[in-house]
Amino acid sequence: MQLTKFGHACVRVEKDGRRLVIDPGGLTGPEALDGADAVLVTHEHFDHFSEETLRRAAECNPRLRIWTNSAVTEQLDGLGTRVTAVGDGTAFTADGFDVQVHGTWHEVIHPDIPRVTNVGFLIDGALFHPGDALTVPGTSVDTLLLPVHAPWSTTGRLIDYVREVAPRDAYAIHDGALNDIGTAMVGGLLGENGPGIAARYRRLAPGETVRVG
């Protein structure tokens, strides 16, 4: 598979001429969906989900299908069977990609802020996108997409999370609010100068593509 990083938390996965996009939200340009017939959305927050972008993409591409949790499905009413609600334990095939769903809830931001549902997606048994949660899928993961900056997280928690998931590679996502100083700080702690995560850590530039799986 080939992995391309787009804005903030969005990635595109490609194999055999097929394209699958995860979390094309409000901080991601619509070009991320070019040529994609399958979209996965982890949860309803604007930086992961843009109703306008998905409706426009669905209008332009009659083959486009979307898999997401029930809360997002309700916001995409009118698209009928092109939108499928999934939850923890669901397994399905999206345009040739085998997908397993893990997780139920968004991480706690503050006790006074209601939690929303959040699902993570394991692609072809190799690539895991957890959304806004530190979900441990309970199965081997080759490549972990790591949400490196959020109001609910600390770098210390990320270190423990990567150690528990134990991937071979960890790529940064959810980094749209980090400046150069923050990026260097997080990268240092998750890289060779940190306490150790036993995984290769890297932050991809927008539009950069790597092979995974």
Side-chain angles (χ1 to χ4, degrees):
M1 293 186 292
Q2 289 186 322
L3 172 72
T4 303
K5 169 73 183 300
F6 286 90
H8 192 55
C10 178
V11 299
R12 186 170 67 202
V13 187
E14 302 177 67
K15 72 171 184 180
D16 302 329
R18 297 184 175 96
R19 291 182 169 182
L20 177 150
V21 176
I22 308 174
D23 280 4
L27 300 178
T28 301
E31 67 276 4
L33 292 164
D34 290 349
D37 289 339
V39 177
L40 311 179
V41 178
T42 63
H43 66 287
E44 63 194 87
H45 287 161
F46 87 97
D47 50 335
H48 296 257
F49 165 60
S50 169
E51 179 183 351
E52 179 183 0
T53 297
L54 288 183
R55 287 190 181 277
R56 186 180 299 118
E59 181 179 353
C60 294
N61 179 7
R63 297 182 306 276
L64 185 71
R65 289 197 59 192
I66 302 162
W67 289 262
T68 183
N69 64 49
S70 58
V72 176
T73 300
E74 290 175 2
Q75 297 185 50
L76 292 172
D77 63 312
L79 293 181
T81 59
R82 299 177 65 183
V83 182
T84 302
V86 297
D88 184 43
T90 303
F92 59 94
T93 300
D95 196 31
F97 294 88
D98 293 327
V99 183
Q100 295 177 349
V101 182
H102 297 273
T104 303
W105 293 105
H106 190 288
E107 290 291 327
V108 175
I109 299 172
H110 187 275
D112 292 346
I113 299 176
R115 297 172 78 183
V116 300
T117 53
N118 177 99
V119 291
F121 297 105
L122 179 63
I123 314 300
D124 281 354
L127 173 70
F128 187 55
H129 190 312
D132 275 7
L134 300 183
T135 301
V136 178
T139 187
S140 61
V141 171
D142 181 83
T143 304
L144 174 65
L145 301 178
L146 183 65
V148 297
H149 179 255
W152 44 265
S153 184
T154 66
T155 307
R157 290 184 67 195
L158 297 179
I159 291 169
D160 291 339
Y161 178 55
V162 177
R163 288 176 177 178
E164 188 170 2
V165 176
R168 182 188 66 190
D169 294 291
Y171 290 100
I173 59 168
H174 214 278
D175 52 1
L178 281 177
N179 60 18
D180 291 343
I181 296 173
T183 297
M185 184 181 302
V186 171
L189 289 169
L190 292 170
E192 296 179 356
N193 296 324
I197 57 175
R200 295 178 296 196
Y201 170 77
R202 184 177 173 190
R203 181 176 187 253
L204 299 178
E208 185 176 357
T209 298
V210 295
R211 290 191 176 275
V212 299

